[in-house]
Amino acid sequence: PHINAMAPFREASDGMSRSPTFFVGTERQKQKLEGFSRQEEHFAEAFRDSRPLCFNARSFQKTHPAKASQGHKDADATLVSPFILGVADGVSQVEDFGIDASLLPNELLKVCEELGMYQLLPNSKLAPQDQYRGPIPLIRRAFEATESLGSLTVVLAIMDNSTQIHGKAHPMLSVITIGDCELLILRRGQDLQEGAS
């Protein structure tokens, strides 16, 4: 909010402002106050631009009634963390081979969360080989760390606050999808338009 710092001053007929205790040259004071105001705005903008971004999300899942009626276990898993969102959809047909379809999706997302919190935490000092290098290396490393058998599709959204452009932080959102999982990005305050028919 803008604060009018000149409000306590009353304009006198001779071009001077009058405070309860002394006279002040109006133009000189306005310039000083504008300088302070610009400096304060600059600091506020620099602070706003340097803050890391994170997700603020929740998840809810419910087994499809048709699958539940056939006795299939819910093989889907969700991941909600400050820097990674994910959905892994386990392929329930692997249960025909005696494999629990929910194990791999849950384990993969758990490892993605651990890696993500390790690699994506702002201002963390990591060895070069441990730094975040994008969504493909992250999910590859997570999959290699899993022990469960199974099959799945997966989608991850990753908030990377370490990207620098011209020395300034520019958070980036990366999305990777393997299989038929999808992600819909909605932006507040923008009109969505249909393509021309």
Side-chain angles (χ1 to χ4, degrees):
H2 179 68
I3 298 172
N4 183 359
M6 297 300 289
F9 294 92
R10 293 183 300 275
E11 189 71 29
S13 61
D14 59 357
M16 303 287 277
S17 294
R18 183 175 188 82
S19 76
T21 57
F22 57 91
F23 285 99
V24 179
T26 304
E27 289 306 313
R28 192 169 130 216
Q29 275 307 100
K30 280 184 181 178
Q31 289 173 352
K32 284 183 180 181
L33 287 172
E34 285 175 10
F36 288 137
S37 179
R38 279 194 299 270
Q39 186 177 12
E40 186 177 308
E41 288 173 9
H42 176 71
F43 290 141
E45 183 178 312
F47 174 74
R48 185 183 68 238
D49 290 346
S50 66
R51 289 183 302 175
L53 298 179
C54 64
F55 295 114
N56 182 8
R58 303 286 182 269
S59 67
F60 173 81
Q61 63 188 76
K62 183 177 178 182
T63 303
H64 191 281
K67 287 186 177 183
S69 69
Q70 295 173 0
H72 288 287
K73 187 177 178 181
D74 188 4
D76 302 334
T78 58
L79 165 59
V80 176
S81 75
F83 305 113
I84 301 180
L85 301 178
V87 174
D89 184 7
V91 177
S92 53
Q93 286 82 2
V94 299
E95 292 177 348
D96 296 341
F97 301 99
I99 299 171
D100 185 341
S102 68
L103 293 179
L104 182 58
N106 282 293
E107 184 181 5
L108 180 68
L109 290 184
K110 183 176 188 278
V111 176
C112 284
E113 180 178 23
E114 290 170 358
L115 273 174
M117 291 305 290
Y118 176 69
Q119 293 179 349
L120 297 165
L121 197 62
N123 303 320
S124 58
K125 306 293 184 219
L126 301 175
Q129 69 271 16
D130 292 333
Q131 292 177 351
Y132 176 72
R133 299 196 181 283
I136 295 171
L138 185 138
I139 202 163
R140 178 181 291 139
R141 190 170 169 188
F143 181 75
E144 290 170 352
T146 61
E147 296 178 0
S148 300
L149 299 176
S151 182
L152 56 81
T153 63
V154 64
V155 61
L156 295 178
I158 301 168
M159 184 63 68
D160 175 16
N161 286 290
S162 66
T163 304
Q164 298 275 325
I165 299 176
H166 302 298
K168 290 179 70 178
H170 284 273
M172 297 284 186
L173 175 67
S174 301
V175 177
I176 183 169
T177 182
I178 300 172
D180 61 359
C181 285
E182 296 178 0
L183 174 74
L184 177 64
I185 298 174
L186 301 175
R187 293 186 175 157
R188 184 178 301 170
Q190 293 185 352
D191 293 330
L192 299 177
Q193 297 180 354
E194 295 291 326
S197 47

